Amino acid sequence: MSENEKKMESPLTKYPRPPFVKQPQEVPGLASKMNPVPDHGEQSYKGSGRLTGRKALITGGDSGIGRAVAIAYAREGADVVINYLPQEQSDADEVLALIAAAGRKGFGIAGDITSEDFCRQLVEEAAEKIGGIDILVNNAGHQQAIESLLDITTEDFDTTMKTNVYAPFWITKAALPLLEEGSVIIATSSVQAYDPSENLFDYAQTKAANVAYVKSLAKQLGPKGIRVNGVAPGPVWTPLQTSGGQPQDAIVKFGEVTPLGRPGQPAELASIFVQLADSNASYATGQIYGAAGGNGHP
Ligand code: NAD
Ligand code: MG
């Protein structure tokens, strides 16, 4: 087998399987503190020039799915700005070092996207740093499992809505005037949009909203030559889940119910985001791509 050929790998044994140890963290949590530490493709993702010269803004790019996307985009030749919360600077620094090692420009802009002013500032600053934006990935998200609707405060509900629904609206509104024909927008939705869990009442609604965001915006922006797509992951091993996204009892068996019997790792989703950003996928718009280990929709 030549060096460029890839070995066939079993999706069953490639990555850790439950049981996992309980490991509560404060929101938003750090990837570096997880056990096992997630695979974001640090050692494995190999680029092939698919996004050479592209300019990407990725929210939640410090950890989890967003980090895997940031690494892959940089190795495919894109310059990348990541946004994250100030508490996540140490995770973000690891990503920025990997972008630099890929020979691309990488910048971190910390700040809270539940503020409209910050969202506007983020887009402006990102475009300034890398000379524009032609890939916008609305990936940041907030998820807290709460058993009863009666225990969801207005503040809880607000935080989930502001992070998952308002922020993509504000960021997209600020970015739109900068997006030239050929640009792409990608949203991270969830299987929760289609098959909501009883303890994710507020979160599931936002993920359904993300699907409508994709479907509506794709129609609005198709005639302008801007593609809009989404990814709907199933259970993926990220700090979002271990910092309250699931009760700790569910962390122990996280991903067990899927046909693959384990959670996905962020690295396993990166190529989908690359494909959607690549101009080769020029007829894909208004689509939601699943990555859920065999359960769920779409
Ligand atoms: P993650 O914790 O690694 O990433 C989420 C990121 O959101 C955080 O790193 C943080 O930087 C950002 N964020 C949250 N609130 C913010 C705020 N107010 N201001 C700025 N940034 C903020 O977890 P992840 O699982 O990779 O999450 C990425 C996306 O994937 C989310 O939209 C989530 O809903 C979605 N998703 C995750 C799963 C899963 O099982 N992990 C499944 C389906 C969908
Ligand atoms: Mg994070």
Side-chain angles (χ1 to χ4, degrees):
M1 194 160 73
S2 88
E3 186 183 315
N4 289 330
E5 261 176 81
K6 280 196 95 175
K7 263 201 320 241
M8 189 160 73
E9 295 170 305
S10 167
L12 298 175
T13 52
K14 194 173 169 184
Y15 283 116
R17 305 174 68 84
F20 299 104
V21 295
K22 293 184 183 176
Q23 46 191 288
Q25 286 192 59
E26 291 288 307
V27 188
L30 289 175
S32 63
K33 288 194 176 163
M34 290 179 69
N35 175 17
V37 170
D39 180 9
H40 309 89
E42 287 89 343
Q43 311 298 329
S44 56
Y45 192 90
K46 287 196 177 59
S48 54
R50 295 182 70 179
L51 304 175
T52 304
R54 300 286 296 273
K55 304 163 197 301
L57 169 59
I58 306 169
T59 63
D62 59 303
S63 61
I65 297 164
R67 180 197 289 217
V69 175
I71 293 170
Y73 280 8
R75 291 186 187 170
E76 294 292 356
D79 294 331
V80 179
V81 175
I82 58 171
N83 159 252
Y84 45 87
L85 286 162
Q87 309 91 287
E88 300 174 298
Q89 190 63 49
S90 62
D91 268 1
D93 287 341
E94 293 182 12
V95 180
L96 295 170
L98 290 166
I99 296 171
R104 303 307 310 187
K105 282 188 209 147
F107 295 94
I109 302 177
D112 187 339
I113 58 170
T114 63
S115 149
E116 180 173 9
D117 282 346
F118 174 73
C119 287
R120 228 181 286 123
Q121 218 177 293
L122 168 65
V123 168
E124 197 178 305
E125 220 178 291
E128 215 173 81
K129 291 211 183 284
I130 54 174
I133 296 172
D134 56 40
I135 305 173
L136 171 61
V137 183
N138 280 306
N139 166 76
H142 180 80
Q143 172 185 332
Q144 289 290 292
I146 298 180
E147 287 310 315
S148 167
L149 177 150
L150 297 175
D151 296 326
I152 302 177
T153 65
T154 297
E155 201 188 9
D156 294 332
F157 195 82
D158 235 21
T159 303
T160 309
M161 290 290 159
K162 287 261 166 66
T163 313
N164 301 0
V165 179
Y166 278 73
F169 162 57
W170 289 327
I171 291 169
T172 307
K173 192 170 172 181
L176 207 45
L178 309 175
L179 299 184
E180 289 175 11
E181 205 168 315
S183 298
V184 299
I185 300 174
I186 303 170
T188 308
S189 177
S190 170
V191 290
Q192 289 294 324
Y194 304 89
D195 186 12
S197 299
E198 60 274 31
N199 60 358
L200 293 174
F201 173 78
D202 54 347
Y203 174 81
Q205 291 183 65
T206 66
K207 293 289 125 176
N210 295 160
V211 171
Y213 163 106
V214 166
K215 299 275 179 189
S216 168
L217 208 53
K219 288 178 183 156
Q220 188 177 133
L221 300 183
K224 298 191 192 316
I226 297 170
R227 296 184 297 112
V228 187
N229 292 290
V231 178
V236 182
W237 189 244
T238 70
L240 175 102
Q241 299 291 5
T242 56
S243 64
Q246 302 289 333
Q248 288 298 312
D249 287 343
I251 290 299
V252 173
K253 47 186 187 212
F254 193 59
E256 191 177 78
V257 297
T258 67
L260 295 183
R262 63 167 178 86
Q265 293 291 323
E268 298 182 275
L269 280 72
S271 65
I272 301 172
F273 287 79
V274 169
Q275 167 69 5
L276 291 174
D278 188 333
S279 296
N280 283 344
S282 39
Y283 204 58
T285 190
Q287 314 295 323
I288 307 288
Y289 285 62
N295 281 343
H297 308 280

